[in-house]
Amino acid sequence: MLGFIRLQMKLRWGRESGGDKKSAVLSVAMGVLTIAVALALVYLFTGVLQEGVSGFGAQEISVLFIAVMQVVLAVTGVGMTVRWMFRPADLKITARFPLSPFQIFLANLLLVYINLQIYAAILYIPVMLAFGFALGTVTVKFVFGLLLSTVFAPMIPFALSTLISLPVMFLMSVLEHRNIVKLAVFIVVLAGFFVLYNYILTFLADYFIYKTVTDSVGIWEKILKALNSPFDLSVCLQGLLFFESAGKSAGILLGIFAAVSAAGIALAKPVYDAVRRNALESGGRAFRRRTRLNGDGVFAAMFKHEFKEILRTRVYAYFYLGIAVATPVMVFFCNRLVDEVGKAQMGDMIS
């Protein structure tokens, strides 16, 4: 089983010796640039938030970033659980390994947790360091707390992913051949993320232009107050981060991790067995559909064919058609932000 885990980790994180070096260098450069921009936004946003929102210190503000990281890890965990446990592309290959179905099930669970731990180190540590430098809380104690909280960070997302992945997989099976519905959901989510991103940029722009955030300070106060409630598990990671009630926080996280994971695994195992058996025993299903000939011209026929090809091909539909449809939302909010900044600097002539 350990050999299977090492093989999967090598396939996931290994580097091919014969790969395109230029493409690898370009990918690394784009990744570094994206991370640098994201960390710069975190740094600026943290400083502005501390000055604009009164009554909240560094510890209370940290819960906002911890909660966001927990949501990101939970979504990532759900995706990996569905892809590796319930919809593995290499099932017919791994079924021939000298491993029992339970061993493969357990190995996939461990793979999800190990990868979540890697993602936690990649995402959580840089973001919280940028937060710490913005507020001047980076000390030796803070660094040790950051490493300790990073170890505990993927526990709750992993436990939740074992439960949430089941309804997500059911929903995916319902939408299996409804590509238009999935494309519409993708467009809505993409537009929503951009609106949130633009809202943060507008928050920063208002501060640097008018030196105040009075218009939106109430919203952030409500968010911080809600996140710092005793029922938010992100507060436990905050306790580990700042070494306050660390033992109590670790005990709560370990207890919830064990209970929720046990419940999720107990529910996932029968589903995993059924999905695995159905995938291995069912034969290929023929695609039968009555088609008719029509009198479309060559251009119209080719246009229909290409458009259907876009809708049926995931990459084309999401990254070509989906982004094209969401672009007007991006243009509207970008223009509104530039217009606001321009009027503050140059007056109405900017229009």
Side-chain angles (χ1 to χ4, degrees), residues 200-318:
I200 294 176
L201 287 182
T202 305
F203 178 76
L204 296 175
D206 287 344
Y207 177 79
F208 286 109
I209 293 173
Y210 305 109
K211 299 302 179 184
T212 180
V213 289
T214 53
D215 292 340
S216 57
V217 69
I219 298 176
W220 293 107
E221 286 180 347
K222 292 178 181 178
I223 292 175
L224 290 174
K225 186 176 180 180
L227 290 176
N228 281 276
S229 69
F231 302 101
D232 188 359
L233 295 178
S234 301
V235 177
C236 294
L237 285 175
Q238 176 212 64
L240 295 174
L241 180 64
F242 290 94
F243 269 111
E244 292 190 359
S245 303
K248 178 182 177 181
S249 299
I252 293 174
L253 289 174
L254 287 172
I256 295 176
F257 167 72
V260 178
S261 296
I265 292 172
L267 293 174
K269 185 60 170 64
V271 177
Y272 170 80
D273 291 338
V275 170
R276 174 186 171 89
R277 183 170 56 253
N278 182 65
L280 291 175
E281 294 178 357
S282 61
R285 295 180 176 87
F287 179 74
R288 297 178 180 178
R289 181 178 178 183
R290 293 181 178 275
T291 58
R292 61 183 180 83
L293 298 176
N294 52 45
D296 292 337
V298 176
F299 179 79
M302 291 184 63
F303 185 84
K304 287 182 178 179
H305 171 76
E306 294 299 329
F307 191 75
K308 289 180 180 179
E309 198 71 19
I310 290 174
L311 291 177
R312 292 171 180 170
T313 307
R314 183 177 302 175
V315 176
Y316 291 165
Y318 289 175

Side-chain angles (χ1 to χ4, degrees), residues 1 24 28 34 41 81 105 141 247 258 265 291 330-331 348:
M1 189 173 73
V28 171
T34 303
L41 284 175
T81 302
F105 172 77
K141 179 181 177 181
I265 292 172
T291 58
M330 304 179 184
V331 172
D348 291 335

Side-chain angles (χ1 to χ4, degrees), residues 25-337:
V25 171
L26 181 61
S27 299
V28 171
M30 292 298 296
V32 170
L33 179 61
T34 303
I35 293 172
V37 172
L39 294 180
L41 284 175
V42 170
Y43 183 87
L44 293 174
F45 181 73
T46 302
V48 173
L49 200 61
Q50 186 192 36
E51 292 189 26
V53 181
S54 60
F56 294 94
Q59 296 187 25
E60 290 79 9
I61 296 176
S62 69
V63 180
L64 173 63
F65 298 99
I66 293 173
V68 171
M69 291 295 101
Q70 290 287 281
V71 172
V72 171
L73 289 175
V75 173
T76 305
V78 169
M80 287 191 295
T81 302
V82 172
R83 185 171 67 252
W84 288 354
M85 289 181 56
F86 302 117
R87 293 194 169 192
D90 57 351
L91 178 59
K92 295 186 182 299
I93 298 175
T94 56
R96 296 183 174 90
F97 284 21
L99 297 172
S100 66
F102 178 75
Q103 287 178 315
I104 295 181
F105 172 77
L106 184 60
N108 285 328
L109 281 177
L110 292 174
L111 282 167
V112 172
Y113 187 83
I114 292 171
N115 279 273
L116 278 180
Q117 187 67 72
I118 295 174
Y119 281 117
I122 294 175
L123 299 174
Y124 185 75
I125 292 178
V127 168
M128 297 315 297
L129 279 177
F131 160 83
F133 280 117
L135 299 186
T137 61
V138 178
T139 60
V140 175
K141 179 181 177 181
F142 180 85
V143 172
F144 277 110
L146 177 58
L147 296 177
L148 179 62
S149 61
T150 303
V151 174
F152 283 80
M155 287 186 175
I156 301 303
F158 170 79
L160 291 176
S161 67
T162 58
L163 285 174
I164 300 175
S165 59
L166 294 176
V168 169
M169 187 192 65
F170 175 76
L171 180 62
M172 291 177 61
S173 63
V174 172
L175 300 177
E176 181 71 30
H177 302 294
R178 294 173 173 83
N179 292 330
I180 295 180
V181 177
K182 291 189 288 186
L183 179 61
V185 173
F186 170 78
I187 293 172
V188 172
V189 172
L190 179 65
F193 272 115
F194 187 83
V195 171
L196 177 62
Y197 170 72
N198 183 266
Y199 180 77
I200 294 176
L201 287 182
T202 305
F203 178 76
L204 296 175
D206 287 344
Y207 177 79
F208 286 109
I209 293 173
Y210 305 109
K211 299 302 179 184
T212 180
V213 289
T214 53
D215 292 340
S216 57
V217 69
I219 298 176
W220 293 107
E221 286 180 347
K222 292 178 181 178
I223 292 175
L224 290 174
K225 186 176 180 180
L227 290 176
N228 281 276
S229 69
F231 302 101
D232 188 359
L233 295 178
S234 301
V235 177
C236 294
L237 285 175
Q238 176 212 64
L240 295 174
L241 180 64
F242 290 94
F243 269 111
E244 292 190 359
S245 303
K248 178 182 177 181
S249 299
I252 293 174
L253 289 174
L254 287 172
I256 295 176
F257 167 72
V260 178
S261 296
I265 292 172
L267 293 174
K269 185 60 170 64
V271 177
Y272 170 80
D273 291 338
V275 170
R276 174 186 171 89
R277 183 170 56 253
N278 182 65
L280 291 175
E281 294 178 357
S282 61
R285 295 180 176 87
F287 179 74
R288 297 178 180 178
R289 181 178 178 183
R290 293 181 178 275
T291 58
R292 61 183 180 83
L293 298 176
N294 52 45
D296 292 337
V298 176
F299 179 79
M302 291 184 63
F303 185 84
K304 287 182 178 179
H305 171 76
E306 294 299 329
F307 191 75
K308 289 180 180 179
E309 198 71 19
I310 290 174
L311 291 177
R312 292 171 180 170
T313 307
R314 183 177 302 175
V315 176
Y316 291 165
Y318 289 175
F319 295 103
Y320 296 159
L321 183 60
I323 291 181
V325 174
T327 295
V329 177
M330 304 179 184
V331 172
F332 171 78
F333 283 100
C334 280
N335 282 347
R336 192 175 69 172
L337 176 60

